[in-house]
Amino acid sequence: MTGMPLADVRIVEISSFVAVPLAGMTLAQLGADVVRVDPIGGAADYHRWPVTDSGESIYWAGLNKGKQSMAADMRSPAGQELVQRLIAESGVLVTNVAGREWHSYDALAKLRPDLIHVEVSGRADGGTGVDYTVNAGLGFPLVTGPANLSEPVNHVLPAWDVACGIYAALAVVTALRHRDATGEGARISIPLENVALATAGNLSLLTEAMVNGTARERIGNSVYGTYGQNFTSSDGVSFMVVALTGRHFRDLTELTGTTKAVAALGDALGADFTDEGERYRHRDALTGLFTVWFTEHTADEVAAALSSTSILWERYRSFAEVVTDERVTANALFTPLNQPRIGEYLAPGLPLAFDGVYPPPSAAPALGDDTEKVLADRLGLSADAIRGLIESGIVA
């Protein structure tokens, strides 16, 4: 695609793991020229699982699509000075490798006063933290999992890393607009823990404890405050069913043949099931009524019946099942990508359609694939100068 929103933007990324690599990839998919700079030999995520049989990181390929890769000795003064020049030329740095004075805002702003410097850290007090440790101290693991479980359960999705990556990309775009309007740069810090705390507050999980003095309870696969529950068909297939509105709930009672039974239950309990809060409070009793219908029908029968209603539902699927589903195979978001060292597979591009078109994915580089090109194009170094840097071990 041509004419992408960030086509004239140059960015340097110094990162590892999820949040900042996702931010850099998102910006690259929006058209920015993103160079990820890593230490020679790779950062901690270069060989992260999952990997192929030959040991190539599928993870790396997934989060670094569309970038250029430069490898430099960032422990040496010469390597640091070279990367500083690259950042100054680019004008934007996104990093989660915090605490390095040589690529701090104060050091780099001397070279580029209108620098946009976005730094992701672990915690607001300067302490270290990753998604899993931040999440542990936030409350979510104590309300995740079966209702009768007493131990914490971590969720598999690194939600705070993902949210933080999108916030970081948004921060760059916002700062670019400000710089275009005023000529001023920006120093932006994003503690991962604050992203998680803000989300917990925005979703009322923290506010509930502050205002009501109550803590969220562990409710398994139910949906808090409304009616939602998982059911299993006669042939052992699980479905998630959600009835957010009065219409959804009426359809669910009609589908399961429990309209009269639900009305009788409401009378017996003194509950008004037109109120979603009442449906939530008495969810176990309602689920007991609905379960009978699901256990008497096969998965195909359940899916066909649910499809004819307004009820919100989905069949539980494994990742292996999802990749063969037409929501992947026939989705314009996914296009065949020949990823060197990994193979060909359907890869997602940017999940934003511009005039109905999704920007397609580009292959991720191997470590240092673009070192010579970056030094020549961005810093104007000659072939002899680049050869000298390689021979001296400053870049690779």
Side-chain angles (χ1 to χ4, degrees), residues 315-329 334 346:
R315 174 177 175 166
Y316 283 92
R317 289 177 169 84
S318 68
F319 291 124
E321 290 174 304
V322 173
V323 298
T324 62
D325 191 274
E326 64 180 10
R327 280 171 286 189
V328 171
T329 60
F334 289 85
L346 289 176

Side-chain angles (χ1 to χ4, degrees), residues 122-344:
R123 303 181 188 273
D125 64 3
T128 58
V130 295
D131 190 288
Y132 307 100
T133 58
V134 165
N135 191 58
L138 215 64
F140 283 92
L142 299 181
V143 297
T144 301
N148 59 356
L149 196 67
S150 60
E151 61 191 51
V153 176
N154 291 334
H155 52 65
V156 175
L157 173 69
W160 314 127
D161 276 336
V162 173
C164 189
I166 301 302
Y167 272 118
L170 177 62
V172 171
V173 173
T174 304
L176 286 168
R177 188 178 190 280
H178 178 73
R179 186 167 70 183
D180 289 343
T182 67
E184 299 174 351
R187 178 181 189 175
I188 301 171
S189 60
I190 310 177
L192 179 68
E193 184 178 51
N194 278 3
V195 169
L197 286 167
T199 303
N202 293 338
L203 294 177
S204 80
L205 289 148
L206 300 183
T207 315
E208 177 183 17
M210 296 176 193
V211 175
N212 293 340
T214 58
R216 187 67 57 88
E217 58 186 332
R218 179 176 261 157
I219 57 175
N221 287 336
S222 296
V223 179
Y224 180 75
T226 191
Y227 186 79
Q229 189 58 57
N230 65 297
F231 296 93
T232 303
S233 65
S234 62
D235 49 352
V237 176
S238 295
F239 291 81
M240 185 64 197
V241 175
V242 180
L244 290 178
T245 69
R247 181 188 175 191
H248 295 155
F249 189 73
R250 287 192 301 273
D251 280 2
L252 181 57
T253 61
E254 291 174 6
L255 175 70
T256 56
T258 59
T259 300
K260 291 182 179 180
V262 167
L265 178 65
D267 291 339
L269 296 173
D272 177 8
F273 290 137
T274 63
D275 180 342
E276 67 174 346
E278 290 290 273
R279 299 195 289 267
Y280 172 72
R281 291 187 186 94
H282 301 291
R283 62 191 180 277
D284 291 339
L286 290 169
T287 297
L289 295 178
F290 302 147
T291 296
V292 175
W293 181 87
F294 284 90
T295 59
E296 292 177 344
H297 292 81
T298 66
D300 288 344
E301 291 171 340
V302 169
L306 288 170
S307 295
S308 66
T309 72
S310 68
I311 301 167
L312 306 170
W313 67 278
E314 184 54 273
R315 174 177 175 166
Y316 283 92
R317 289 177 169 84
S318 68
F319 291 124
E321 290 174 304
V322 173
V323 298
T324 62
D325 191 274
E326 64 180 10
R327 280 171 286 189
V328 171
T329 60
N331 190 338
L333 171 65
F334 289 85
T335 54
L337 178 68
N338 187 3
Q339 174 64 52
R341 305 168 305 280
I342 302 294
E344 183 172 302

